[in-house]
Amino acid sequence: MDETPDAAPEASWEERTAAHVDECVAWHRLEAIVQAGKARALAAAQATALERMAESPSAQSRAREMPIRGMAAELGAALRVNDRSVQTQMDQAHRLCTEYPATWSAWKAGRIDRSHTRVIVDTGAAIRDPEARAAYERDVLDYAVKTTPGRVRPYAQQVADKHHPRTMQERHDEALPSRRVWVEDLDDGLSMLGMIGPSTEIHGAYDRATQQAKALKGHDLRNRRDAAERATIDSQLDGTQNDSACTWFDDRTRDQMRVDIILDMLLTAAPSVDPTGGDLGAIRGVVQVTIPATTLTGTTTGGAELNGKCAIDPTTVRTLTGTATGFDRVFLHPVTGAVLTVDRYTPNAALKRLLLARDVRCAFPGCRHPALRSEIDHRKEHAKGGTTDEDNLGPFCLRHHTVKHTEGWTVTQLPGGRLHFTAPSGKTYTEDPPPRVMFLPEPQPASAPF
């Protein structure tokens, strides 16, 4: 592999970009192979220590644990790493290699990286039955080799929920009492306010603060435009800039505005300013919830998902649907789970609802930005004859929508929402809509013979 960063400066920038991509991919794959090899060595060390533990006659936990501690201490000294960290790595590696051998093999082959393995192992931790765990691993690994760890996690959670020995409702009811708020003091006069609560309410609160921040920023942009217009008029009248052009501008970032708005609402029950002339307090958070009809009717107990981010309990979703002014009905393919169509009693913006239900997130490779907060993009430009239908539309977040147009990415849309991307370098990538986990009712036991 050439060590020079630019081995062919006479080549076009597209060719050079393609070469950079190839080199980075090669190194990334090599890094995965090396990391997987080290994990296998750590797992073997853990296995040796466990054999010594099994031979130990001592009943005291500390004494029986000494072989593992001793192995970690020796490895830590050789690697110049804290032995507690080494002991944790040994345990994680042993669990990966013994309980998720296919995942380790994919890592060793460079098809996935360390982050993928962590998602698969951590999300499947509660699945103790070997057959169920193997089925979970096969399903999630097949998706993991195609996309980023961030996209794998919500899908893995859905698959794990399907194979979990306890229902989502049981686990949610047990976890709900642990909701809490805490404060951690940081440096420089700052502190962190943390909160654990129901997913729908936490994401709804975050969405509401985001909408209010956008409203404030929109007002600020209008202020700047109006001030510039006033300054131009004043200069034309007398060659000077009148004091009427002076106004207050909001230079806060979106994150800063979210923090200030949330603290305002917590401290005063409403934002302290109303720059838009409307009522920021009237803005309500929006969340997109997906739930199988069989879960609504009680036939099955899983499958509810929030914004493609995390699983939620059926009781919460039934409450949300019971108070909703309307909701989308999504028809899925009975085998593949692909979204076929969407309908509603009041079909305003039905096409947009279908796209949100089908794509869930920004369609650009690896992006997890919710489709609900993305822009609807024409694959083939409308001005050039592109149609406004589900076969030519999809969500792109602002960042990737801009990159797609300015950098010359091209997208071909295939049936079912599948996208074929061609980068400026000529590299191609294929993206599928988020896979759906199909929850089936348990078979009824056969009635006893008379």
Side-chain angles (χ1 to χ4, degrees):
M1 194 177 300
D2 200 324
E3 296 182 359
T4 60
D6 197 346
E10 70 282 356
S12 68
W13 73 265
E14 292 91 350
E15 292 172 333
R16 293 166 64 185
T17 299
H20 297 324
V21 171
D22 288 339
E23 184 176 12
C24 288
V25 168
W27 283 115
H28 186 75
R29 182 174 179 274
L30 182 60
E31 181 181 30
I33 293 171
V34 171
Q35 289 175 340
K38 180 183 176 183
R40 185 68 185 87
L42 288 169
Q46 175 87 342
T48 298
L50 289 174
E51 289 179 13
R52 287 188 59 204
M53 280 182 60
E55 298 171 356
S56 174
S58 175
Q60 296 182 354
S61 59
R62 176 173 293 185
R64 292 190 70 249
E65 204 178 77
M66 289 311 297
I68 291 181
R69 293 189 181 186
M71 182 68 76
E74 186 157 350
L75 287 173
L79 299 173
R80 296 186 294 278
V81 178
N82 182 277
D83 62 299
R84 291 179 182 271
S85 298
V86 173
Q87 186 172 336
T88 299
Q89 294 171 16
M90 288 167 52
D91 180 70
Q92 292 173 340
H94 186 264
R95 191 159 140 236
L96 169 66
C97 293
T98 56
E99 298 183 2
Y100 299 89
T103 300
W104 180 82
S105 296
W107 189 15
K108 179 65 170 64
R111 300 172 64 210
I112 58 175
D113 62 25
R114 182 198 299 274
S115 298
H116 289 94
T117 66
R118 286 175 177 170
V119 169
I120 294 173
V121 174
D122 292 348
T123 308
I127 306 176
R128 307 313 306 167
D129 179 71
E131 291 186 5
R133 185 168 57 234
Y136 157 83
E137 182 185 25
R138 284 194 302 271
D139 199 344
V140 177
L141 185 58
D142 183 59
Y143 183 50
V145 298
K146 304 173 185 176
T147 191
T148 61
R151 283 188 171 184
V152 173
R153 184 175 297 278
Y155 180 67
Q157 289 174 336
Q158 287 283 297
V159 178
D161 187 35
K162 182 178 179 179
H163 294 286
H164 202 287
R166 301 175 64 206
T167 67
M168 176 63 182
Q169 190 64 59
E170 291 173 337
R171 288 177 280 133
H172 176 77
D173 292 343
E174 182 179 305
L176 189 60
S178 66
R179 62 191 184 278
R180 65 189 181 95
V181 177
W182 71 93
V183 173
E184 179 181 340
D185 292 326
L186 308 175
D187 296 330
D188 305 319
L190 298 178
S191 296
M192 178 178 71
L193 178 68
M195 179 184 299
I196 296 176
S199 295
T200 49
E201 296 175 27
I202 294 293
H203 280 278
Y206 182 83
D207 180 81
R208 186 185 185 201
T210 299
Q211 291 185 62
Q212 291 174 330
K214 287 182 178 178
L216 284 168
K217 184 58 73 174
H219 174 75
D220 178 56
L221 292 175
R222 289 191 295 273
N223 264 354
R224 293 175 186 266
R225 182 195 62 200
D226 295 343
E229 291 177 355
R230 290 197 301 270
T232 301
I233 293 172
D234 291 337
S235 297
Q236 291 173 347
L237 290 175
D238 57 11
T240 62
Q241 182 169 321
N242 192 282
D243 288 341
S244 64
C246 298
T247 187
W248 176 78
F249 294 137
D250 196 329
D251 292 318
R252 292 176 294 175
T253 66
R254 182 75 57 80
D255 276 334
Q256 292 167 348
M257 297 175 83
R258 268 192 287 251
V259 170
D260 295 343
I261 287 169
I262 289 174
L263 292 179
D264 275 346
M265 287 192 288
L266 287 175
L267 295 172
T268 68
S272 60
V273 292
D274 184 12
T276 63
D279 183 9
L280 284 180
I283 294 176
R284 292 292 176 262
V286 177
V287 294
Q288 181 185 2
V289 174
T290 302
I291 181 170
T294 51
T295 302
L296 276 178
T297 60
T299 307
T300 61
T301 59
E305 187 181 49
L306 173 65
N307 275 353
K309 291 180 177 292
C310 60
I312 55 177
D313 62 290
T315 295
T316 297
V317 178
R318 291 190 191 103
T319 301
L320 290 174
T321 55
T323 57
T325 56
F327 54 91
D328 301 320
R329 183 169 56 172
V330 182
F331 293 90
L332 305 179
H333 190 283
V335 177
T336 66
V339 175
L340 299 178
T341 187
V342 173
D343 73 356
R344 195 175 189 177
Y345 290 115
T346 54
N348 294 331
L351 179 57
K352 182 177 180 180
R353 293 198 302 273
L354 185 147
L355 298 173
L356 296 181
R358 184 189 70 189
D359 296 313
V360 180
R361 65 205 173 204
C362 168
F364 196 85
C367 185
R368 295 184 61 211
H369 191 82
L372 192 66
R373 294 281 165 253
S374 298
E375 301 172 344
I376 301 300
D377 174 63
H378 283 73
R379 306 289 181 240
K380 182 179 180 182
E381 295 181 31
H382 188 265
K384 297 181 179 179
T387 56
T388 304
D389 56 36
E390 66 270 22
D391 291 330
N392 191 49
L393 295 176
F396 273 78
C397 68
L398 179 60
R399 172 186 174 88
H400 291 127
H401 197 176
T402 303
V403 167
K404 172 179 170 289
H405 285 290
T406 59
E407 291 299 302
W409 286 71
T410 59
V411 185
T412 302
Q413 184 147 339
L414 306 175
R418 195 175 209 200
L419 301 178
H420 185 74
F421 287 81
T422 302
S425 64
K427 298 290 183 181
T428 59
Y429 309 89
T430 300
E431 285 289 308
D432 291 314
R436 305 285 178 169
V437 181
M438 305 301 288
F439 286 76
L440 303 177
E442 295 291 335
Q444 296 295 324
S447 55
F450 291 103

